[in-house]
Amino acid sequence: MNHKNTREEANRKAKPVAPKVKELIERTKSVILATVDAEGNPNSSYAPFVQVDHTLYILVSFMAKHTKNLAEGRKASVMFIEDESATKQIYARERLTIETIPSQIERDSEIWNAVVAQLKEIHGKVVDVIAEMGDFILIALQPVKGSYVNGFGSAYFVDENLEILEHRNDVNHQSK
């Protein structure tokens, strides 16, 4: 069997699916976080979020490694991903990965109060409890750039406003 011809045929058949970045974010309640510490050690976690304009906000505890990494202003990556049980093809799950710059929001500031109210609206009364705990801080995650994938041959570059820049069709899968 000629693998090269099979792959070329698959690439021709793979047509980009219309991007639905906004819809993926809207149907997701938490983001997967990737951070690094001062020594460059990676850490992954997750956090419930809200989006205000193009900025993502998370309320997280200093007891977690990722919170310290974020509070120290190190770049972070966040990922939204389609639920495994909803996907038709595990290798082609819809996903959005965004490089972000984190910043801590001052407790009881206007932004803090507005975002915590939105977190409560979306995630429930538990937000009232954790927002009062001294170890919880509010972090803004400002998008820089990203990547959106919604199937084979359907990958896109995303800008800081979470808008599609262009289809990533310049790189084809290579065979051994």
Side-chain angles (χ1 to χ4, degrees):
M1 174 181 240
N2 187 338
H3 292 288
K4 185 176 180 184
N5 288 341
T6 304
R7 185 169 289 106
E8 287 173 2
E9 183 178 316
N11 284 340
R12 279 194 306 274
K13 287 182 179 178
K15 294 181 182 172
V17 179
K20 296 180 180 176
V21 173
K22 182 179 177 185
E23 292 86 346
L24 177 60
I25 293 170
E26 287 174 351
R27 67 178 186 265
T28 307
K29 292 186 176 185
S30 62
V31 294
I32 297 170
L33 300 166
T35 65
V36 292
D37 66 17
E39 291 78 40
N41 298 310
N43 180 256
S44 61
S45 191
Y46 84 98
F49 78 98
V50 295
Q51 181 182 13
V52 179
D53 297 321
H54 303 294
T55 303
L56 307 170
Y57 293 89
I58 57 175
L59 187 60
V60 288
S61 170
F62 246 109
M63 296 174 123
K65 287 181 183 180
H66 63 267
T67 302
K68 182 178 181 196
N69 298 338
L70 293 168
E72 291 176 355
R74 290 188 194 87
K75 288 182 180 179
S77 178
V78 298
M79 182 170 69
F80 299 85
I81 189 163
E82 176 183 30
D83 187 300
E84 286 182 356
S85 65
T87 191
K88 293 176 184 170
Q89 174 47 259
I90 197 70
Y91 280 97
R93 286 168 72 188
E94 180 184 14
R95 60 201 175 273
L96 170 65
T97 305
I98 309 165
E99 293 177 26
T100 67
I101 298 174
S103 60
Q104 187 172 337
I105 304 301
E106 184 179 338
R107 184 177 285 273
D108 296 321
S109 66
E110 187 176 320
I111 294 173
W112 168 282
N113 292 329
V115 170
V116 167
Q118 286 188 2
L119 281 162
K120 180 182 175 185
E121 185 178 314
I122 293 170
H123 302 294
K125 293 181 181 181
V126 68
V127 174
D128 282 337
V129 175
I130 63 175
E132 291 300 317
M133 294 180 177
D135 62 304
F136 274 80
I137 63 173
L138 185 63
I139 299 284
L141 298 167
Q142 187 62 51
V144 176
K145 63 181 176 178
S147 175
Y148 174 78
V149 177
N150 64 349
F152 292 118
S154 190
Y156 302 85
F157 293 110
V158 177
D159 69 11
E160 69 277 2
N161 296 316
L162 306 179
E163 299 287 335
I164 297 296
L165 287 174
E166 63 183 314
H167 183 248
R168 288 174 32 186
N169 61 356
D170 59 338
V171 179
N172 291 319
H173 297 287
Q174 303 296 315
S175 60
K176 287 185 173 182

